[in-house]
Amino acid sequence: MSMPKVAVIGGSIGGLTAANVLRDIGCEVDVYERSPQLLSGFGTGIVVQPELVRYLLERAGSTLDDVSVSSSSMRYYDASTSRLQGEVDAGWRFTAYNAVYRKLLDAFGTERYHLGRALDRVRQTEAGPIIEFVEGPAATADLVVCSDGGGSVARSALLGVKPTYAGYVTWRGMVDRDEVSEATWEFFQDTFSYGLLPDSHIIAYPIPQADSDGRLTGNSRLNFQWYWNVSEGADLDALLTCSEGKRRSVSVHFDVLAEKNLAEFRNCASRELDGPFRELITAAARPFVTIVSDAEIDQMAFGNIVLIGDAAITPRPHAAAGAAKAASDAWSLATHLESASGNLAEALPAWESGQLALGRAYLAKVRAMAAVLQQGGDFPPGAPEYRFGLPKAP
Ligand SMILES: Cc1cc2nc3c(=O)[nH]c(=O)nc-3n(C[C@H](O)[C@H](O)[C@H](O)COP(=O)(O)OP(=O)(O)OC[C@H]3O[C@@H](n4cnc5c(N)ncnc54)[C@H](O)[C@@H]3O)c2cc1C
């Protein structure tokens, strides 16, 4: 049996990993990405999990040092004073979205990576799946891999499931070396820092900078997120209303952040934080805000259409393995398809049951972490149940 022709919807980490591994087992693969230009991820940081960089290390000739920087500990502070509460040895590595994305794209090539192609509708017909785009001609394929992220159009069409707001947002920002004092810069080096507050938390870690080809430049910056509980309704509406007066649904980037929201962000840092945490947050020149939401489903395969990554189960970010889950969905799909010699009817059910179990277990883990981190629970240093990463395969 020959390998299926594949259309991948969404060309970020999940989509590109799927495109590469499916191409490697002999599938003819096209990627359709909504964005009209190559992605940037705003240069934000990602904690490296093995699944995230597996393709780059095993098949694209990269080393861990090519894509990430190392650290040696996790530190737990009271962010209101910047006083250390605990520390554990933990050798996490950190990368920048760009570094991983550009290298995955390099490995796939741009010839069959189609920008500006937003999925409008995908459906299974007797003749096979049909993919319709907002603009441009429809496409057909034997297998459609939908990796169109947390707001997945495909998931919404196939299951009617949309992400549910988790009750809090994350402020994200980056700070260059010359924007903070030497003492604050050093405070956040070589470690992953938690800044704990009664109903809120901050994370901060150094990330490498990558050039437009994904090569690390040797410079680094500090990357942070500060999670705020914000009630749905008037408070959330006010925060998500941008400077042009429009209420955004997911994210308000710095360029359109309302002045009063930026002022409140900085005032809140001055009021509630002290020491290096306060300096870090107030130094960020271009912070932006994103809602945290999640989505749970109990089906990932619909005939010859599958959902992977955030388009399937959308997790919250607390165990730093959402992109790794997307990559795991992709690798497992290729493994099952190869063992079934390209027979989709044989491969997809087995793939779906394993990855659904993994995704649901991961979602339960990050929800449990959110419950303690955002609602005043106990978050003991090094607690194994809150360790970063995907759960062991169930
Ligand atoms: C604040 C935060 C921090 C995180 N930190 C980490 C971390 O440290 N480690 C980690 O592993 N994960 C982390 N994650 C999770 C990670 O970002 C996601 O889980 C991961 O990006 C999912 O990859 P994906 O390819 O499934 O979806 P996405 O990366 O969301 O990509 C979806 C792609 O589909 C495209 N698209 C959307 N709609 C359409 C359409 N209609 N047609 C065509 N294309 C479309 C989008 O433009 C995008 O390129 C974090 C997430 C957040 C929010």
Side-chain angles (χ1 to χ4, degrees):
M1 189 173 271
S2 62
M3 286 296 169
K5 178 172 183 284
V6 179
V8 174
I9 311 295
S12 177
I13 288 173
L16 274 174
T17 304
N20 278 308
V21 292
L22 292 169
R23 189 256 336 259
D24 290 357
I25 60 165
C27 300
E28 192 185 310
V29 184
D30 284 278
V31 177
Y32 299 94
E33 164 55 46
R34 174 180 63 184
S35 168
Q37 67 263 328
L38 295 181
L39 308 175
S40 74
F42 300 121
T44 44
I46 305 184
V47 179
V48 173
Q49 304 294 337
E51 300 83 356
L52 174 73
V53 291
R54 181 174 168 195
Y55 194 86
L56 301 181
L57 268 48
E58 289 184 13
R59 308 253 174 102
S62 297
T63 64
L64 270 178
D65 287 336
D66 291 336
V67 288
S68 61
V69 293
S70 63
S71 70
S72 58
S73 68
M74 285 185 100
R75 295 195 186 129
Y76 300 71
Y77 295 93
D78 173 346
S80 68
T81 58
S82 287
R83 259 194 221 112
L84 188 65
Q85 295 181 323
E87 177 168 7
V88 292
D89 288 343
W92 293 110
R93 299 189 72 104
F94 311 127
T95 185
Y97 178 89
N98 269 357
V100 175
Y101 168 72
R102 285 297 179 129
K103 286 187 184 299
L104 286 172
L105 182 61
D106 244 19
F108 183 66
T110 49
E111 203 176 314
R112 304 190 80 150
Y113 186 82
H114 311 286
L115 289 168
R117 301 301 304 278
L119 175 74
D120 185 36
R121 209 151 77 105
V122 59
R123 62 202 156 90
Q124 179 77 37
T125 69
E126 285 200 354
I130 296 191
I131 311 143
E132 292 164 295
F133 299 94
V134 174
E135 277 176 32
T140 55
D142 303 315
L143 171 65
V144 184
V145 177
C146 301
S147 188
D148 53 338
S152 175
V153 169
R155 181 179 62 204
S156 176
L158 293 162
L159 281 172
V161 171
K162 296 206 159 86
T164 307
Y165 176 55
Y168 55 99
V169 302
T170 175
W171 282 95
R172 305 165 75 180
M174 279 165 294
V175 169
D176 287 331
R177 185 175 197 138
D178 59 3
E179 293 175 322
V180 283
S181 64
E182 190 62 24
T184 290
W185 179 263
E186 286 307 322
F187 181 94
F188 290 108
Q189 296 303 306
D190 192 31
T191 193
F192 182 99
S193 302
Y194 275 109
L196 303 171
L197 291 163
D199 291 309
S200 169
H201 73 288
I202 298 169
I203 59 167
Y205 54 98
I207 57 165
Q209 293 193 44
D211 66 18
S212 57
D213 294 323
R215 272 189 297 266
L216 302 193
T217 61
N219 296 324
S220 63
R221 50 170 55 143
L222 298 174
N223 170 76
F224 71 77
Q225 290 179 42
W226 185 6
Y227 293 88
W228 283 14
N229 294 331
V230 179
S231 326
E232 207 161 3
D235 290 351
L236 188 63
D237 291 346
L239 185 56
L240 294 180
T241 300
C242 68
S243 53
E244 294 150 354
K246 191 165 178 257
R247 204 273 199 193
R248 297 286 168 115
S249 55
V250 176
S251 220
V252 184
H253 200 256
F254 177 77
D255 293 335
V256 287
L257 190 60
E259 238 166 71
K260 69 174 173 36
N261 289 333
L262 178 62
E264 175 52 15
F265 171 68
R266 292 192 172 136
N267 289 341
C268 188
S270 301
R271 240 178 9 245
E272 296 192 13
L273 312 176
D274 203 0
F277 277 98
R278 182 202 279 178
E279 192 186 342
L280 175 72
I281 303 286
T282 51
R286 297 171 61 79
F288 60 103
V289 66
T290 305
I291 63 164
V292 178
S293 52
D294 63 22
E296 187 166 12
I297 58 173
D298 54 15
Q299 189 178 353
M300 289 168 73
F302 307 79
N304 292 352
I305 304 168
V306 299
L307 301 173
I308 71 165
D310 279 15
I313 289 171
T314 310
R316 305 175 192 189
H318 311 297
K325 179 174 80 64
S328 162
D329 288 342
W331 274 95
S332 171
L333 183 60
T335 305
H336 281 283
L337 212 48
E338 190 173 32
S339 324
S341 306
N343 183 330
L344 290 164
E346 185 185 327
L348 296 185
W351 166 78
E352 180 186 44
S353 78
Q355 294 308 113
L356 255 183
L358 178 79
R360 291 168 77 106
Y362 184 62
L363 182 60
K365 172 177 173 173
V366 288
R367 282 177 170 167
M369 291 176 79
V372 293
L373 285 165
Q374 287 301 108
Q375 288 163 32
D378 190 23
F379 194 69
E385 66 273 33
Y386 303 142
R387 189 177 189 278
F388 288 165
L390 293 175
K392 293 248 170 338

